[in-house]
Amino acid sequence: MADLPRTVLISGCSSGIGLELAVQLARDSRQRYQVVATMRDLGKKGTLEAAAGDTLGQTLTVAQLDVCSDDSVAQCLSCIQGGEVDVLVNNAGVGLVGPLEGFSLTTMQSVFDTNFFGAVRLVKAVLPGMKRRRQGHIVVVSSVMGLQGVMFNDVYAASKFALEGFFESLAIQLLQFNIFVSLVEPGPVATDFEGKLLEQVSMAEFPGTDPDTLHYFRDLYLPASRELFHSVGQSPQDVAQVIVKVISSARPPLRRQTNARYSALTALKTTDPSGSLYVRTAHSLLFRWPRLLSLGLRCLACGCFRSRVSPR
């Protein structure tokens, strides 16, 4: 007798990684998944429905879900048969780039409300059922910025660091219930949203920021960031394929899938746990040796190092 398909709930499916992942799982040749693809604004569901094709209404359904709302989460789960979720993919997230002085605390808190507390809210909702059934899989779309801080991404990186600490801690307890956690840590993901975000912040005023910091942001960081996206940026399809493999493969208690092209940077923390080596190296590359940084990124772009995020 064939196994029943696993119910997969994915947040943030209006575009990017969430959309690609929902479609890839729904098109699984063995029909192992029943996908509930969610988004905050159902007015944006057209692209997903077009990509889903004949899987729509069969192995894929679209539902409204605002991860910042308890009521929305409860309403979404009530529409799932039995309210049972076998695999939860926390993908919904927002970015924030720019000088710290230019952001209000309200803006910073909104990033945490989505990136961190949104994931916590979903986990709290599905955990009772997973614990009762003694099985489940929680996948978190984190970032290499959950491992390494990056200049002018202070708040975004902090939200991803929080995710890493929260789920690493939770994984210890959940192993007792046969529930597994996977953290997927891509680098830059090349989407229309990211391109528009960089364009918008390049024109932003950031009131209250000193001239030197604005110069560093506009004339050093932004050009390096664009080159980084060009050289090592992954497509949403690439990252979605990795998550599909994570979901379908054997599950260790805690699994990290990190973009292999960042191995050199992450190794700096292992070499010097104090963090000074990483900070000094990143500072030197951006402020003292920008040509060396550009050369290194071009080397990556030409394919000298082909590894990206891939299962270990």
Side-chain angles (χ1 to χ4, degrees):
M1 180 176 171
D3 292 335
L4 293 174
R6 288 192 285 166
T7 299
V8 183
L9 176 64
I10 311 171
S11 64
C13 293
S14 62
S15 62
I17 296 170
L19 186 152
E20 293 294 336
L21 176 62
V23 171
Q24 288 187 31
L25 289 174
R27 293 190 179 280
D28 178 61
S29 60
R30 293 162 58 185
Q31 295 190 336
R32 290 172 291 177
Y33 312 107
Q34 187 64 47
V35 180
V36 182
T38 72
M39 61 190 70
R40 183 177 60 179
D41 181 5
L42 285 180
K44 298 180 179 180
K45 67 180 181 178
T47 304
L48 171 60
E49 290 185 338
D54 58 7
T55 67
L56 188 64
Q58 301 298 318
T59 55
L60 184 145
T61 57
V62 182
Q64 194 276 337
L65 173 63
D66 180 357
V67 299
C68 297
S69 165
D70 289 335
D71 291 341
S72 179
V73 170
Q75 176 63 31
C76 180
L77 290 179
S78 71
C79 297
I80 298 174
Q81 187 174 6
E84 295 184 352
V85 174
D86 300 299
V87 181
L88 170 65
V89 181
N90 288 294
N91 172 68
V94 294
L96 188 67
V97 182
L100 183 67
E101 300 92 327
F103 298 126
S104 67
L105 281 175
T106 299
T107 298
M108 299 180 205
Q109 288 167 345
S110 70
V111 173
F112 269 79
D113 283 344
T114 298
N115 293 2
F116 178 69
F117 288 109
V120 173
R121 182 174 283 108
L122 276 176
V123 169
K124 279 175 61 68
V126 304
L127 263 188
M130 288 183 173
K131 285 183 172 181
R132 187 173 58 253
R133 298 190 306 276
R134 290 296 197 275
Q135 62 178 15
H137 191 180
I138 298 169
V139 180
V140 184
V141 180
S142 180
S143 168
V144 292
M145 278 193 257
L147 303 173
Q148 301 277 22
V150 173
M151 190 171 73
F152 294 120
N153 287 268
D154 326 81
V155 179
Y156 177 79
S159 71
K160 296 298 185 178
F161 265 73
L163 279 177
E164 296 273 336
F166 177 82
F167 281 102
E168 184 173 298
S169 302
L170 194 61
I172 301 168
Q173 175 211 146
L174 296 186
L175 181 58
Q176 190 69 15
F177 294 90
N178 198 39
I179 300 170
F180 303 92
V181 175
S182 297
L183 290 157
V184 178
E185 296 152 342
V189 181
T191 65
D192 291 338
F193 172 80
E194 296 291 347
K196 290 177 181 177
L197 177 63
L198 287 177
E199 189 62 33
Q200 289 171 355
V201 298
S202 68
M203 306 296 291
E205 294 297 328
F206 297 105
T209 305
D210 62 275
D212 283 346
T213 300
L214 282 176
H215 162 63
Y216 298 145
F217 176 63
R218 290 172 176 161
D219 300 330
L220 294 179
Y221 170 79
L222 284 177
S225 183
R226 292 189 183 97
E227 191 156 11
L228 184 69
F229 271 89
H230 174 72
S231 60
V232 299
Q234 295 175 267
S235 71
Q237 294 92 331
D238 289 340
V239 181
Q241 287 173 9
V242 172
I243 300 175
V244 169
K245 292 178 181 178
V246 166
I247 291 173
S248 61
S249 62
R251 296 180 293 279
L254 177 67
R255 184 177 193 174
R256 280 189 165 89
Q257 301 296 134
T258 310
N259 189 319
R261 289 182 169 182
Y262 285 81
S263 298
L265 285 177
T266 55
L268 293 177
K269 270 193 176 179
T270 304
T271 304
D272 177 13
S274 76
S276 294
L277 181 59
Y278 167 69
V279 170
R280 291 184 182 279
T281 301
H283 174 270
S284 295
L285 285 172
L286 193 60
F287 289 95
R288 297 174 59 188
W289 309 320
R291 291 185 180 179
L292 179 60
L293 174 61
S294 178
L295 179 62
L297 292 174
R298 289 175 185 175
C299 182
L300 289 173
C302 77
C304 298
F305 305 100
R306 297 188 179 276
S307 298
R308 296 199 171 191
V309 175
S310 57
R312 294 188 229 174

